[in-house]
Amino acid sequence: MKALNGSSAKQGSISVLIPVRNEELNIAPLLNSIFEQAIRPDEVIVIDDHSDDQTKAIAESYGVTVLSAPALPEDWTGKNWALWNGYLHSRGEILVFLDADVRLHRNALQTLVSERQRQGGVISVLPYHQAHHFYEKFAMLLNMLMVFAFASPFERSNRRKGLFGACIVTTRKDYDTIDGHRSIRSKLLDDMSLGERFQQAGIRVTNYIGGEVIQFRMYPDGMKSEVEGFSKEVALGTASFRILTIIPMVLWIVCLIAADSFLFFIGTPYFVPLLIAYSLYVLQFFYFNRYIGSFGVVHPILHFLSTLFFFVILVLSVYQSFIRRRVMWKGRYIDIGRGGTQ
């Protein structure tokens, strides 16, 4: 997976589509960053998915187009429905889908358009994770695993290769070819499902890491939203990757757990080797965090905290995905069996 860098002139009219549901803490910083772009989009459309906070009013104060999503049909998920309605009101030749928690460097839009033209097909970006509070940094291991999975050489030819939903860029023509979000209307993992649909249509999928160009702050409103956000997709998302991608990741995690247990072996011959392994993992986290996110000093050194958080999320995700068969997100239950809501 490549780092996002480079720029070029604007290519075609651009529509930026932003689905929102209770994003009053995020929408203003995103819109500010859009208005500071070196090239300005031709239109910005914010689609409000029945927010009950100040999200809609804040977006309207910026003078962008703000749509209220119609009542959610039973066989649609909220984000897919919002983006489909935004698309129906858009006019751009290039469609840029952004989550509300994204923040753009001044040259980000220019770079995205340039890279999409150079690569062809559809591109997406995993933003650099700006984690401010202590609880936000528990996501360190999960972020690293996402990069490992998408960067795997075994995923290059995977016909089920997904996209990162936070930032997706495609042409209107390619989006029309797959019937856009209507073709995945009931899918909980909209980004993974959309990438698969593009692949099936013979449209190339390319993923990047955002670096300084595109960043996000995922869960500024508390631990509850962080747990809900990650647990709704971890177990289901794994199924989209090839087994040759999953096996090395599982082995890496098993060795991580062994290293994290070094304190239990004080006074035994295993203590020193496990301590060395633990230290090597610390160095790995520090190295990869330069590209993945701002997770500070404490979490890489005490990375067993991130490991524990990962397993809590994994257990909760498996329970919700395969036993309970529905998840909670943004105050709405999503039925995984039907894809609708209750």
Side-chain angles (χ1 to χ4, degrees):
M1 186 165 56
K2 308 172 184 178
L4 192 64
N5 52 23
S7 62
S8 182
K10 179 178 173 182
Q11 304 287 336
S13 57
I14 302 171
S15 295
V16 174
L17 307 177
I18 308 167
V20 293
R21 180 175 170 85
N22 295 337
E23 294 285 1
E24 63 182 6
L25 297 178
N26 283 318
I27 190 60
L30 171 57
L31 292 176
N32 284 332
S33 71
I34 290 174
F35 286 127
E36 294 170 357
Q37 290 301 293
I39 60 170
R40 295 282 292 272
D42 296 272
E43 60 181 357
V44 178
I45 302 176
V46 176
I47 313 96
D48 179 54
D49 183 17
H50 308 283
S51 297
D52 55 17
D53 61 4
Q54 295 301 306
T55 300
K56 184 176 180 181
I58 294 170
E60 289 174 337
S61 72
Y62 279 81
V64 300
T65 301
V66 180
L67 306 175
S68 294
L72 184 65
E74 186 176 353
D75 59 340
W76 284 75
T77 59
K79 185 177 180 180
N80 289 333
W81 179 241
L83 286 173
W84 178 250
N85 279 277
Y87 156 75
L88 294 177
H89 286 82
S90 69
R91 303 182 306 275
E93 302 165 64
I94 299 169
L95 303 176
V96 181
F97 302 106
L98 296 177
D99 281 356
D101 53 13
V102 169
R103 308 290 180 263
L104 304 176
H105 181 273
R106 186 174 183 275
N107 293 319
L109 193 56
Q110 183 172 311
T111 300
L112 286 168
V113 172
S114 172
E115 284 299 309
R116 197 232 59 84
Q117 184 187 41
R118 188 171 69 86
Q119 291 291 341
V122 58
I123 70 170
S124 75
V125 179
L126 173 61
Y128 181 89
H129 190 168
Q130 287 288 355
H132 296 178
H133 294 307
F134 190 81
Y135 76 85
E136 294 176 75
K137 297 176 183 180
F138 288 141
M140 180 180 69
L141 176 55
L142 285 162
N143 275 251
M144 186 175 291
L145 291 176
M146 281 193 288
V147 172
F148 285 176
F150 278 92
S152 168
F154 302 111
E155 296 303 313
R156 292 172 186 168
S157 60
N158 186 356
R159 301 298 293 178
R160 300 185 64 194
K161 182 164 65 173
L163 295 161
F164 294 119
C167 177
I168 297 174
V169 184
T170 183
T171 63
R172 193 174 203 88
K173 178 181 177 182
D174 286 346
Y175 188 80
D176 286 340
T177 297
I178 67 164
D179 200 24
H181 285 84
R182 184 164 63 180
S183 68
I184 58 163
R185 62 174 68 88
S186 64
K187 300 297 185 180
L188 176 62
L189 303 184
D190 56 285
D191 47 2
M192 302 296 290
S193 300
L194 200 65
E196 183 176 351
R197 288 286 293 123
F198 278 116
Q199 291 271 100
Q200 291 171 347
I203 297 169
R204 184 178 183 179
V205 169
T206 307
N207 294 311
Y208 296 83
I209 54 176
E212 295 181 353
V213 181
I214 299 179
Q215 305 183 3
F216 63 3
R217 186 180 177 195
M218 295 183 72
Y219 304 109
D221 50 346
M223 173 71 86
K224 182 175 182 290
S225 65
E226 182 173 22
V227 171
E228 285 183 354
F230 280 116
S231 63
K232 73 181 175 69
E233 57 189 26
V234 168
L236 291 176
T238 303
S240 297
F241 297 106
R242 287 183 164 171
I243 189 66
L244 291 176
T245 295
I246 300 300
I247 289 175
M249 292 173 60
V250 170
L251 292 175
W252 186 86
I253 291 172
V254 169
C255 293
L256 173 64
I257 295 169
D260 286 347
S261 68
F262 74 97
L263 288 175
F264 295 102
F265 291 90
I266 294 176
T268 75
Y270 301 106
F271 174 71
V272 172
L274 289 176
L275 178 59
I276 292 172
Y278 186 93
S279 301
L280 291 175
Y281 272 102
V282 170
L283 294 177
Q284 283 187 66
F285 281 113
F286 274 120
Y287 175 79
F288 285 109
N289 285 351
R290 296 189 301 168
Y291 308 99
I292 295 172
S294 58
F295 296 106
V297 175
V298 174
H299 283 74
I301 293 175
L302 303 180
H303 54 71
F304 60 84
L305 297 174
S306 192
T307 304
L308 288 172
F309 181 74
F310 166 73
F311 277 101
V312 169
I313 294 298
L314 180 62
V315 170
L316 184 58
S317 183
V318 169
Y319 169 72
Q320 292 183 139
S321 301
F322 302 108
I323 299 175
R324 193 181 186 197
R325 301 297 294 168
R326 67 175 185 171
V327 299
M328 169 67 79
W329 178 237
K330 299 282 187 179
R332 173 186 286 157
Y333 281 109
I334 304 176
D335 188 324
I336 294 175
R338 295 183 297 105
T341 60
Q342 298 181 8

